[in-house]
């Protein structure tokens, strides 16, 4: 018994140190790649370095579920490849201990890591994504020029849209070819066209001013003299300073039902939201059926009123045309609801698929390492990257289909694991039985 316990500790020690090194290294690579992709937006804008570091930290937390499986895969290939290359595996097997018995301690450790990954995904990641979301909004408030894109209308905050032809200056605050339109409280549209302008943010109260030069201001006005009527007002200006107050961050986050709000919920809240969306969907379907199934009986009702078949046919055609248009509208509406529901369902499945993927990656990596008999970084890294690219590509394709509601979300999330799990079991069995 003592010999076996020492073997377990020996295998865990061989695994745990490389795993931690690889885990940190892979996270570092992802963070560098993320920072490099955002370097133009985050540097040279007078953004506090601590805000940038905080934003990167939150990003690092969100990629842990993706990094953990590839780290386990690479470490398992390296660990078992090293003991196989050094003939330790042959010596241990000759003493009557099978490869699967040697895999048990690390398999148990992988189960613990998988369980920890689930709780981490359920508690830490939603909070990190919410914090990153709030931080991103804070950055956009204090540096509205970051959101501007040349030649594209940008919604900086609700009811305010701006398009520019060119952006220049140290802080990208000098604008040319400006087109702004925004809504007032009465929903009247105000439009501003200007040749150039300067964006002046106020970081203390979350407001900003735009100093506009050489342009026109169009405004809808409403009068109540002798009945309501509307009139357009056009003003030409040489210089115009327009003040805009951005909504509070707390109100923005609380009231904004945007496309990625599902990413900030834990398992319990996701289940509650999914049940609520399903209930609303069922209510909508039943209400629509109740309102429109009376068409089945419209012919009998019309026959009681009139014996003229042409009148009956005309009214039926009108009714059918109305129902067809309504059904088209309902189809689009239901598709949007279905896609929205699918995103919540897919996010719920993501909390479970990556912990299971960790186990699958170990069952794949350990026997491959024993077969290739190569330790170190080189060849095992190539093998691990190749396997994980195949897995991640398949996962990305199926999840995209799931988000569009083309495939059932839970099926789309689990397809890669359904494919890789039997393969990992087959490789493990063949290697343990020395059948290759």
């Amino acid at each position: 018994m003592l010999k076996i316990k020492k073997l377990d500790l020996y295998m865990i020690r061989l695994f745990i140190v490389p795993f931690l090194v690889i885990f940190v290294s892979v996270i570092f690579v992802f963070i560098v790649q993320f920072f490099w992709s955002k370097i133009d937006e985050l540097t040279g804008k007078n953004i506090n370095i601590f805000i940038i570091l905080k934003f990167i930290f939150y990003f690092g937390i969100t990629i842990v579920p993706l990094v953990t499986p590839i780290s386990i895969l690479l470490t398992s290939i390296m660990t078992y490849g090293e003991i196989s290359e050094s003939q330790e595996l042959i010596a241990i097997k000759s003493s009557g201990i099978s490869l699967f018995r040697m895999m048990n301690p690390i398999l148990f450790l992988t189960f613990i890591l998988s369980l920890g990954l689930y709780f981490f995904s359920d508690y830490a990641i939603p909070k990190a994504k919410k914090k990153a979301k709030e931080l991103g909004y804070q950055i956009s408030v204090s540096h509205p020029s970051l959101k501007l894109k040349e030649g594209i209308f940008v919604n900086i905050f609700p009811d305010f849209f701006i398009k520019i032809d060119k952006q220049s200056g140290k802080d990208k605050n000098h604008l040319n070819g400006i087109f702004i339109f925004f809504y007032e409280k009465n929903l009247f549209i105000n439009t501003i066209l200007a040749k150039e302008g300067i964006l002046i943010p106020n970081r203390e109260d979350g407001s900003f001013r735009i100093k506009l030069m050489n342009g026109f201001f169009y405004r809808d006005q409403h009068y109540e003299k002798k009945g309501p009527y509307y009139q357009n007002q056009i003003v030409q200006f040489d210089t115009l300073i327009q003040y805009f107050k951005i909504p509070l961050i707390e109100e923005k986050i609380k009231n904004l039902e945007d496309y990625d709000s599902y990413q900030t919920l834990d398992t319990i809240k996701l289940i509650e939201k999914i049940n609520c969306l399903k209930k609303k969907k069922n209510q909508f379907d039943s209400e629509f059926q109740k309102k429109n199934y009376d068409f089945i009986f419209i012919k009998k009702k019309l026959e009681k009123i009139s014996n003229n078949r042409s009148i009956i046919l005309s009214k039926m055609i009108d009714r059918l045309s109305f129902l067809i248009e309504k059904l088209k509208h309902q189809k689009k509406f239901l598709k949007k609801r279905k896609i929205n529901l699918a995103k919540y369902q897919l996010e719920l499945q993501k909390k479970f698929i990556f912990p299971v993927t960790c186990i699958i990656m170990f069952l794949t990596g350990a026997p491959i390492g024993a077969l290739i008999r190569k330790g170190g970084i080189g060849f095992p890294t190539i093998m691990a990257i190749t396997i994980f690219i195949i897995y991640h590509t398949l996962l990305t394709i199926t999840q995209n289909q799931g988000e569009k509601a083309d495939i059932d979300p839970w099926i789309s999330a689990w397809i890669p694991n359904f494919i890789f799990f039997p393969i990992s079991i087959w490789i493990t069995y063949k290697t343990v039985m020395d059948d290759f």
Side-chain angles (χ1 to χ4, degrees):
M1 292 296 294
L2 184 61
K3 183 180 178 181
I4 296 176
K5 287 183 179 179
K6 284 185 177 180
L7 178 63
D8 292 342
L9 293 174
Y10 176 68
M11 293 304 301
I12 291 173
R13 189 168 64 251
L14 281 179
F15 180 86
I16 197 69
V17 175
F19 170 76
L20 294 175
V21 173
I22 291 169
F23 181 81
V24 173
S25 301
V26 174
I27 282 188
F28 179 75
V29 170
F30 273 94
I31 287 176
V32 170
Q33 188 273 335
F34 169 77
F35 181 75
W36 187 259
S37 66
K38 302 288 183 181
I39 192 168
D40 291 336
E41 300 178 18
L42 295 176
T43 59
K45 311 288 185 179
N46 290 330
I47 301 176
N48 193 311
I49 185 65
F50 293 106
I51 293 178
I52 296 176
L53 291 176
K54 193 184 292 186
F55 200 77
I56 291 174
F57 172 73
Y58 292 141
F59 171 76
I61 291 176
T62 61
I63 62 173
V64 168
L66 186 62
V67 170
T68 306
I70 190 174
S71 300
I72 290 175
L73 175 64
L74 177 54
T75 309
S76 59
I77 294 175
M78 287 176 56
T79 301
Y80 288 90
E82 183 177 347
I83 64 173
S84 181
E85 184 180 18
S86 62
Q87 305 300 319
E88 289 181 73
L89 182 60
I90 296 175
I92 294 172
K93 281 184 176 181
S94 64
S95 65
I97 299 174
S98 68
L99 174 63
F100 187 73
R101 176 62 188 86
M102 295 176 62
M103 291 171 58
N104 282 350
I106 302 181
L107 182 60
F108 178 73
L109 182 62
T110 305
F111 272 109
I112 295 175
L113 288 173
S114 300
L115 190 62
L117 181 61
Y118 164 74
F119 287 109
F120 186 84
S121 301
D122 199 41
Y123 293 101
I125 291 179
K127 291 181 180 179
K129 287 184 176 180
K130 186 176 181 181
K131 291 290 185 181
K133 193 176 178 182
E134 293 175 0
L135 189 63
Y137 188 69
Q138 284 179 338
I139 293 173
S140 68
V141 166
S142 57
H143 301 82
S145 60
L146 291 178
K147 294 191 69 175
L148 297 180
K149 295 181 180 180
E150 296 179 357
I152 300 174
F153 273 105
V154 176
N155 181 206
I156 293 182
F157 61 89
D159 301 331
F160 179 88
F161 300 85
I162 180 171
K163 181 175 78 71
I164 59 170
D165 292 336
K166 188 178 180 182
Q167 193 176 10
S168 59
K170 180 181 178 181
D171 296 330
K172 300 293 184 179
N173 285 349
H174 292 271
L175 315 175
N176 296 92
I178 304 168
F179 186 163
I180 299 172
F181 73 91
F182 58 95
Y183 296 92
E184 294 181 343
K185 292 182 180 179
N186 52 16
L187 297 180
F188 293 139
I189 300 176
N190 294 322
T191 305
I192 302 175
L193 299 173
K195 289 185 178 180
E196 56 182 324
I198 301 174
L199 190 63
I200 309 170
N202 187 341
R203 299 173 187 175
E204 294 181 0
D205 62 356
S207 62
F208 68 91
R209 292 176 296 159
I210 300 182
K211 184 178 179 182
L212 302 161
M213 282 83 78
N214 300 324
F216 295 88
F217 189 111
Y218 300 86
R219 169 177 288 172
D220 290 337
Q221 291 184 329
H222 178 246
Y223 296 94
E224 295 288 346
K225 296 178 181 180
K226 298 180 182 180
Y229 69 95
Y230 301 90
Q231 182 178 350
N232 294 326
Q233 181 184 18
I234 303 176
V235 178
Q236 185 177 5
F237 59 84
D238 294 326
T239 301
L240 173 67
I241 299 177
Q242 190 71 28
Y243 173 85
F244 296 100
K245 177 67 176 179
I246 299 178
L248 294 175
I249 295 173
E250 292 80 6
E251 295 178 0
K252 171 77 174 177
I253 299 298
K254 183 178 179 180
N255 298 326
L256 185 61
E257 294 291 338
D258 55 14
Y259 69 93
D260 60 350
S261 60
Y262 58 91
Q263 296 180 345
T264 61
L265 302 178
D266 57 28
T267 300
I268 295 174
K269 290 181 180 178
L270 278 171
I271 293 173
E272 290 175 354
K273 185 68 176 179
I274 289 169
N275 292 334
C276 180
L277 291 173
K278 285 182 177 179
K279 187 177 180 181
K280 287 182 179 179
K281 181 179 178 296
N282 293 333
Q283 288 177 349
F284 180 81
D285 291 342
S286 61
E287 287 175 4
F288 182 83
Q289 291 172 0
K290 185 177 180 181
K291 289 179 181 178
N292 294 286
Y293 277 175
D294 61 340
F295 175 73
I296 298 173
F297 308 101
I298 192 172
K299 185 176 183 294
K300 294 182 179 180
K301 292 180 180 179
L302 290 172
E303 285 176 346
K304 292 180 180 178
I305 299 172
S306 174
N307 292 324
N308 193 329
R309 291 184 177 274
S310 62
I311 295 176
I312 296 173
L313 184 61
S314 176
K315 290 186 177 182
M316 287 179 67
I317 291 173
D318 292 339
R319 176 64 173 169
L320 272 174
S321 299
F322 171 75
L323 284 177
I324 289 170
E325 292 300 321
K326 196 169 183 179
L327 282 168
K328 288 180 180 178
H329 175 74
Q330 188 208 25
K331 186 178 179 181
K332 294 179 181 178
F333 182 74
L334 287 176
K335 183 65 175 177
K336 289 181 180 179
R337 277 182 173 247
K338 190 176 180 181
I339 291 173
N340 187 45
L341 176 61
K343 288 181 178 180
Y344 284 91
Q345 292 173 324
L346 190 59
E347 186 66 23
L348 178 62
Q349 298 302 321
K350 284 181 182 180
K351 296 184 182 296
F352 299 96
I353 60 173
F354 287 114
V356 174
T357 303
C358 291
I359 299 170
I360 293 173
M361 289 299 153
F362 172 73
L363 292 175
T364 304
I368 288 177
L371 285 172
I372 63 174
R373 298 181 180 180
K374 288 287 184 180
I377 297 294
F379 191 66
T381 302
I382 296 173
M383 290 289 297
I385 291 175
T386 303
I387 293 170
F388 197 78
I389 285 176
I390 295 171
Y391 173 85
H392 192 259
T393 302
L394 186 60
L395 181 65
T396 302
I397 293 171
T398 56
Q399 285 190 356
N400 287 339
Q401 295 297 314
E403 286 183 354
K404 296 175 183 178
D406 294 334
I407 305 176
D408 193 284
W410 80 267
I411 294 177
S412 67
W414 287 95
I415 283 176
N417 284 350
F418 288 156
I419 294 173
F420 271 77
F421 180 69
I423 294 174
S424 66
I425 295 297
W426 179 77
I427 293 174
T428 301
Y429 174 78
K430 288 288 187 178
T431 308
V432 169
M433 301 302 292
D434 289 327
D435 196 19
F436 275 108

